[in-house]
Amino acid sequence: MRPTLNRSFFKGMWNLTRTYWHSEEKWRARSLLTAIVLLNLAVVYMLVLLNKWNNRFYNSLQDYDIDRFWSLVGEFSLLAAVYIIIAVYAMYLQQMLEINWRRWLTGRYLRTWLHNQTYYRLQLLDNSSDNPDQRISEDLNLFTTLTLDLSVGLLRTTVTLASFAVILWNLSGELVLPLGGHQVAIPGYLVWVSFIYAVLGTWLTVKIGRPLIALNYHQQRYEADFRFSLIRLRENSESIAFYGGERQEEINFSKRFKKVFDNFWTIMLRRKKLTWFTSGYSQIAIIFPILVVAPRYFGGQLALGGLMQTVTAFDKVREGFSFFISSYTSLAEWQAVVNRLLGFDANVAQVNAQAGNEGVKIVDTADSELQVSGLDVALPNGVRLLKQLELRLAAGDSLLITGQSGCGKSTLMRTMAGIWPFGQGTIRRPAGQSMLFLPQKPYLPQGTLRDALLYPYGGGLISDSRIKEIMAICRLSEFTGKLDMADNWSHILSLGEQQRIAFARVMLQQPQWLFLDEATSALDESTERWLYRQLKEQLATTAIISIGHRNTLTGYHKMKLSLDGDGKWSLLQL
Ligand SMILES: Nc1ncnc2c1ncn2[C@@H]1O[C@H](COP(=O)(O)OP(=O)(O)OP(=O)(O)O)[C@@H](O)[C@H]1O
């Protein structure tokens, strides 16, 4: 997405910004903001006092007035002390507001991302935004920091500009220019000079720095892609080590890093151009006001104090007019961040709009049966994997779904779980009854073994003795001593052990409906037989729907649904 500044950008940005200030934390946020604004105004006031002090101080030097000199040094110490206290608290409170705002926004984004399985549905979108993790961790951080920095900066600059423009106006007097036989008097000419100087500088900076907006936008994205590929290596280290895939991985890393490098190189060249200009501009700014005021000083219209005060006032006014110059890069970055967050929001909105509008209707009914009627399961490109499926299952039933690899068995399970949006038909599910889906890849969350066993619920509800009893049934007794050990269990446990953990989870949670997607594929046949028998004993009334290729599974089910991958299906009583 190319960042653009248009009405919808400003509308989106406004929506993004305003939520926090109208949230349940609004009073705290607004009080902090008020304090920050007041402190920043106080900073400007102190700068004005210091500027006036400049005049008197340099005059005391010029007049060799030692008593006045020491009394002004004392005054300076006081002004400086107050200035420091105000500046420290202005920064401290601003950071406090930043982190509070970020905490609130992060909570909101996390909830939206997790709600309605949006994290899963997002990846099914064609135009899904890249790296949602980066949006939540990095972009929200940058957004709050930059928004506050820029807006507080703008406020402080405006007030500084207004105060010092008045001072400079009063100090500069009139410049009389001969123009075609006439004399033209320009009042407050130093203000005009600094204005022209700054506007010229700003215009050139914007012209040179403009491409940085898009470049920064891409840089963030390439960095995240590169980081993600490194994380994948860590997550899949064993498979890669078995394959000896290091060379291929290196090629992949280099490819991704090349994008980081190339883009940074372009940024670097652009920044170099910009820095040629901005550092030249700020160097000239040191001498420029002295040159402009020098004629009045040497003409005797200004004392040394006046000269020094004028120079600092000129500097402040120029700084004010040049606000866009010094904060141009931040502004560009901020715009890129806002665009990325808006892109993410748009994708989430698209997913949510689809969620209510899907072809497959999942209806919770008072009925005790699970009924599938007229169900078509399709791929995102519209190709149908399954046509007009009709199915009724009651408590205690067991159904085995078979068919060749890739025919759509897991996709049917996703559809029944309500996370696959492509297709049409109706699935009526008994309301209030618990359902547990065990996907093909066992998932163990970060944390202790207990967390893994009780997932997705927390601990506390089931006693230790019950957990240990079930672990013994699932042939996991050797791990009972490690229940509270936090480790990377998905890397430590064998696939068969992970599948047994999943079975223990089922027995502990006792769902009324259980969906197993090749949940015993890594187990030997005798353990598989044992576990299915235990399932029947422990969960006598649970309906079990399994997916599997093995013939041995047939013996544990009453019905068999065969899919042929072209949409046809057949249902057999076993
Ligand atoms: N997100 C997706 N986008 C596009 N196609 C997909 C997506 N997910 C799955 N598919 C395709 O849908 C088809 C069915 O996949 P599914 O996982 O349901 O097969 P399966 O019958 O469970 O296979 P297996 O027995 O190998 O596990 C496959 O051709 C797969 O490539």
Side-chain angles (χ1 to χ4, degrees), residues 120 123-124 377-381 385 402-414 420 422 440 517-518 547-549 563:
Y120 176 77
Q123 59 180 14
L124 297 174
V377 176
L379 290 178
N381 62 9
L385 294 168
T402 62
Q404 66 190 31
S405 169
C407 69
K409 301 181 296 296
S410 301
T411 311
L412 172 60
M413 196 165 108
R414 289 179 196 123
W420 187 259
F422 311 104
Q440 216 164 14
D517 189 354
E518 298 187 36
I547 293 175
H549 293 287
L563 313 182

Side-chain angles (χ1 to χ4, degrees), residues 398-417 437-440 499 503 514-522 528 532 544-554 556-557 559-561 563:
S398 50
L399 171 77
L400 175 65
I401 304 174
T402 62
Q404 66 190 31
S405 169
C407 69
K409 301 181 296 296
S410 301
T411 311
L412 172 60
M413 196 165 108
R414 289 179 196 123
T415 311
M416 289 193 175
F437 292 83
L438 297 193
Q440 216 164 14
Q499 293 192 337
F503 267 85
L514 175 62
F515 296 78
L516 305 163
D517 189 354
E518 298 187 36
T520 52
S521 58
E528 179 186 76
Y532 262 96
I544 299 175
I545 297 99
S546 310
I547 293 175
H549 293 287
R550 283 197 196 162
N551 286 332
T552 46
L553 286 172
T554 319
Y556 321 127
H557 298 85
M559 287 181 275
K560 181 163 144 181
L561 175 68
L563 313 182

Side-chain angles (χ1 to χ4, degrees), residues 21 27-41 97:
W21 307 94
W27 291 119
R28 187 173 175 198
R30 289 176 191 181
S31 323
L32 265 176
L33 186 66
T34 312
I36 294 165
V37 167
L38 291 177
L39 285 171
N40 274 283
L41 294 182
L97 183 57

Side-chain angles (χ1 to χ4, degrees), residues 275-421:
T275 313
W276 275 122
F277 175 71
T278 48
S279 52
Y281 176 84
S282 43
Q283 284 306 309
I284 296 172
I286 298 172
I287 193 81
F288 188 71
I290 302 179
L291 292 179
V292 181
V293 186
R296 296 195 74 219
Y297 177 72
F298 290 112
Q301 291 144 297
L302 264 184
L304 179 64
L307 173 83
M308 294 314 286
Q309 192 188 3
T310 311
V311 168
T312 47
F314 184 93
D315 212 43
K316 288 275 172 267
V317 173
R318 181 198 57 81
E319 239 176 62
F321 284 133
S322 324
F323 176 69
F324 282 103
I325 295 181
S326 48
S327 51
Y328 187 77
T329 324
S330 315
L331 209 62
E333 197 178 0
W334 176 79
Q335 197 196 327
V337 165
V338 171
N339 268 310
R340 279 198 300 268
L341 288 172
L342 292 181
F344 180 73
D345 285 351
N347 282 159
V348 171
Q350 195 181 341
V351 164
N352 285 333
Q354 271 177 6
N357 241 334
E358 278 151 6
V360 182
K361 297 272 170 276
I362 307 275
V363 186
D364 287 337
T365 62
D367 224 345
S368 61
E369 283 191 341
L370 180 109
Q371 292 174 34
V372 175
S373 41
L375 181 68
D376 283 2
V377 176
L379 290 178
N381 62 9
V383 171
R384 278 189 291 178
L385 294 168
L386 185 58
K387 291 177 195 158
Q388 295 298 307
L389 177 68
E390 300 288 333
L391 194 64
R392 285 175 94 98
L393 291 170
D397 276 350
S398 50
L399 171 77
L400 175 65
I401 304 174
T402 62
Q404 66 190 31
S405 169
C407 69
K409 301 181 296 296
S410 301
T411 311
L412 172 60
M413 196 165 108
R414 289 179 196 123
T415 311
M416 289 193 175
I419 60 173
W420 187 259

